[in-house]
Amino acid sequence: MHDLLIAPFTEFGFLRRALVGCLALSVSAPVLGVFLVLRRMSLTADVLAHGALPGVALGFLIAGMAAPALWLGGLVAGLVVAVGAGALSRATGGREDATLAALYLVALGLGVAMISMGGGGALDLTHILFGSVLGVDDAALLLMASVATLSLVVLAFAWRPLVLECFDPSFAAAAGARGGLWHLVFQGLVVLNVLSAFQALGTLMAVGLMMLPAIAARHWAREVGGMAYAAVGIALLASVSGILFSYHLDVPTGPAIVLIAGAAWAASVLVGPVDGLLPRLLRRRHLAG
Amino acid sequence: MSARRKPAALRLENLTLTHGRHPAVHHLSGCFAPGSLTAIVGPNGAGKTTLLRGLAGLHRPEGGRVSLQGEARIALLPQMASLDRAFPIACLDVVMQGLWARSGAFREIRAEDRARAVQALAAVGLGGFERRPVGSLSAGQTQRLLFARLLVQDADILLLDEPFNAVDAKTSADLLRLVRDWHGEGRTVVAVLHDLDLVAREFPETLLLARDPIAWGPTAEALSAANRLKARMMAEAWADEAGRCQRAA
């Protein structure tokens, strides 16, 4: 038991760094995920993460696997795709989701082509797309912890306005809650969290730790606060077991963590007390009143 | 809930509200007097909802202005459609949103504020619904809940957009009693309504609107047969070839 669960972390510093980084991420990202689900924006974070790839690739070509360059490139490219899609669809009258899809597909193709052409081997490509525990160096760890801290502080202030804006936008406007401004702040946090995730999880999987626990949380609580706690709990669990899974079976960390989070989601759908399948199949007799 | 009421009048000066360049409310002047109880009546597309949004400061006037006398707080009850009823939130938390003017994003909710929210739920007949998820309420219960939030807002001017739609007779009688109480406390109440019998019975003042104001005054006069006929003549379609409006700004 000790060998299986504890020894990998006491033995290897890089595993400890990846673990701490993912735990930090697990505290902030799933909470944002809960609001993305409630705003019917479940796919937005995914588009941002994919769209960041050409920037990450450019950073890689210039500076190798160094965190700041990858991160800066990803930030710029992600913002270009997100803001560009909105501006382009307003200018041409198309639907924003269609423009987003077009831009991120192009970005994904471009990113993979750039890494391959730039002499990056298959190994580098795998690391960038699917993450690697080795990617979490001190700089990346510091970044993940800072982003998580910042996100929690901002969320504490943004909580009421976000709930108000999601639940009843016209009331929020009438009450002067500045819902639009808080929404922008919220989107900024999503971009930061996705980017801080990609060194450990890879650009393709960065969103997994944000969305899967958030989607599963619906089956564990009836109020948005409870859903946030449930999502964080699931994400913490997925981080620890995902990294162990990745180490023992030699799978990239991104898919490992996402698979565990996915299993937690499937379990929630099956046995979760709110709208789960099992409670429905049991068909307990209706109450008297 | 507090006894003292600031006199809160809303004065409209040649107000024009537009969607694009087409007028939704056209050259409207007049005053909602302090403590008045006014119904806004008119055919579909007459600009009633737009006017309420303009009064609440949510729709910027294209011409003219809305001026508020004194430091009155305005509360708007939008039509129910704008609400996400699938949102996972409990009834008491919705009612406490009415505290926004005091609590803002981050100030604490005091015990007495919370108690007021619980009281407001009881006042609309939803006692015991504190932790019920909003999604489990019926349409009528949801409307009661929104009235509880209005109670907690404690505004001086209340703007109600079709408050009795899709609710049963008992609920609309209960909610109407709250409206009468607000009127009795000296608050200014403006409600968009379709039920003319109800308007004639309960609302002393009426504004009959068909984009252009048709009549504004004591209900019996405003709703005269001649005025109602005039309101029905309003063309619902926008006139695409319409020239620029030449009336004095």
Side-chain angles (χ1 to χ4, degrees):
Chain A
M1 204 61 176
H2 178 270
D3 284 352
L4 213 58
L5 300 181
I6 312 287
F9 296 119
T10 53
E11 238 170 275
F12 300 108
F14 66 87
L15 271 186
R16 280 201 297 276
R17 276 201 298 270
L19 178 70
V20 173
C22 287
L23 289 181
L25 196 68
S26 301
V27 176
S28 66
V31 184
L32 297 169
V34 166
F35 279 101
L36 284 170
V37 171
L38 292 175
R39 305 193 74 126
R40 297 179 174 81
M41 291 171 59
S42 298
L43 292 174
T44 303
D46 216 20
V47 168
L48 281 176
H50 291 29
L53 191 62
V56 176
L58 195 65
F60 170 75
L61 292 182
I62 294 169
M65 283 299 267
L70 297 184
W71 197 73
L72 197 67
L75 183 65
V76 173
L79 286 178
V80 165
V81 168
V83 177
L88 198 62
S89 63
R90 269 193 301 279
T92 60
R95 285 175 183 272
E96 181 162 3
D97 61 335
T99 318
L100 268 176
L103 276 180
Y104 98 78
L105 284 168
V106 172
L108 192 58
L110 186 65
V112 173
M114 279 167 74
I115 297 170
S116 311
M117 285 192 318
L123 190 64
D124 292 324
L125 190 60
T126 311
H127 281 176
I128 290 180
L129 288 181
F130 303 113
S132 154
V133 279
L134 294 168
V136 187
D137 54 13
D138 284 345
L141 180 58
L142 207 59
L143 184 79
M144 291 166 95
S146 313
V147 166
T149 309
L150 178 76
S151 304
L152 286 184
V153 172
V154 174
L155 267 176
F157 283 94
W159 187 268
R160 276 186 209 157
L162 280 179
V163 167
L164 203 57
E165 170 72 11
C166 283
F167 171 63
D168 191 349
S170 48
F171 178 81
R178 293 172 204 266
L181 179 72
W182 286 110
H183 181 56
L184 220 60
V185 169
F186 169 73
Q187 278 182 315
L189 287 184
V190 171
V191 173
L192 282 179
N193 274 270
V194 166
L195 286 172
S196 87
F198 84 78
Q199 300 244 302
L201 298 177
T203 49
L204 283 191
M205 300 282 151
V207 181
L209 205 49
M210 180 179 286
M211 298 315 298
L212 277 167
I215 297 166
R218 186 177 91 78
H219 295 287
W220 297 100
R222 288 181 200 278
E223 291 175 31
V224 57
M227 285 167 62
Y229 284 119
V232 168
I234 294 170
L236 290 170
L237 190 79
S239 291
V240 179
S241 26
I243 289 174
L244 286 170
F245 178 37
S246 149
Y247 170 78
H248 289 300
L249 298 181
D250 197 19
V251 183
T253 33
I257 290 179
V258 165
L259 277 178
I260 303 270
W265 168 68
S268 306
V269 170
L270 284 175
V271 303
V274 183
D275 293 340
L277 288 175
L278 194 64
R280 188 175 302 179
L281 286 176
L282 286 178
R283 289 186 61 108
R284 285 175 297 175
R285 196 169 164 70
H286 65 260
L287 303 173
Chain B
M1 290 185 189
S2 54
R4 41 126 213 110
R5 281 281 128 224
K6 282 165 260 168
L10 265 177
R11 191 174 295 282
L12 315 182
E13 292 164 41
N14 200 19
L15 180 71
T16 295
L17 302 168
T18 55
H19 292 298
R21 288 182 65 196
H22 296 285
V25 174
H26 207 188
H27 298 292
L28 176 62
S29 294
C31 180
F32 296 99
S36 61
L37 176 57
T38 310
I40 300 181
V41 175
N44 289 331
K48 305 183 295 292
T49 294
T50 309
L51 176 58
L52 280 199
R53 288 177 55 81
L55 294 178
L58 298 178
H59 196 119
R60 190 196 293 275
E62 200 274 334
R65 58 201 199 101
V66 179
S67 53
L68 180 62
Q69 277 146 17
E71 276 182 33
R73 254 210 315 269
I74 300 184
L76 170 68
L77 176 71
Q79 284 179 55
M80 248 194 298
S82 76
L83 203 83
D84 179 4
R85 287 177 61 193
F87 194 87
I89 188 169
C91 290
L92 187 65
D93 292 329
V94 174
V95 177
M96 288 199 292
Q97 291 172 350
L99 299 167
W100 180 269
R102 239 153 310 151
S103 73
F106 207 61
R107 279 186 296 278
E108 72 162 329
I109 303 234
R110 293 166 305 178
E112 64 253 41
D113 291 334
R114 200 188 160 79
R116 266 182 53 208
V118 174
Q119 259 172 31
L121 267 178
V124 298
L126 291 180
F129 277 59
E130 285 79 5
R131 299 305 338 151
R132 274 276 290 272
V134 166
S136 71
L137 301 189
S138 72
Q141 287 170 331
T142 307
Q143 196 67 346
R144 286 169 182 261
L145 181 69
L146 296 183
F147 264 75
R149 186 171 68 180
L150 277 179
L151 276 173
V152 168
Q153 272 185 280
D154 193 22
D156 308 293
I157 300 178
L158 293 121
L159 309 171
L160 315 175
D161 198 352
E162 305 197 9
F164 309 129
N165 266 19
V167 301
D168 64 12
K170 162 109 171 56
T171 301
S172 84
D174 287 352
L175 298 182
L176 191 60
R177 195 167 325 124
L178 290 173
V179 172
R180 264 188 236 130
D181 290 346
W182 287 328
H183 181 51
E185 289 163 359
R187 298 174 208 259
T188 309
V189 180
V190 180
V192 169
L193 292 168
H194 282 297
D195 179 350
L196 294 186
D197 293 333
L198 176 77
V199 172
R201 217 168 47 235
E202 303 283 347
F203 288 75
E205 308 275 319
T206 295
L207 163 60
L208 180 58
L209 194 65
R211 259 185 255 150
D212 288 289
I214 306 292
W216 191 350
T219 297
E221 292 166 34
L223 290 183
S224 71
N227 283 338
R228 271 150 59 191
L229 181 66
K230 215 165 137 196
R232 274 203 297 276
M233 307 275 278
M234 179 193 87
E236 269 197 49
W238 279 331
D240 277 326
E241 73 288 359
R244 292 224 305 269
C245 174
Q246 298 294 340
R247 268 184 264 177

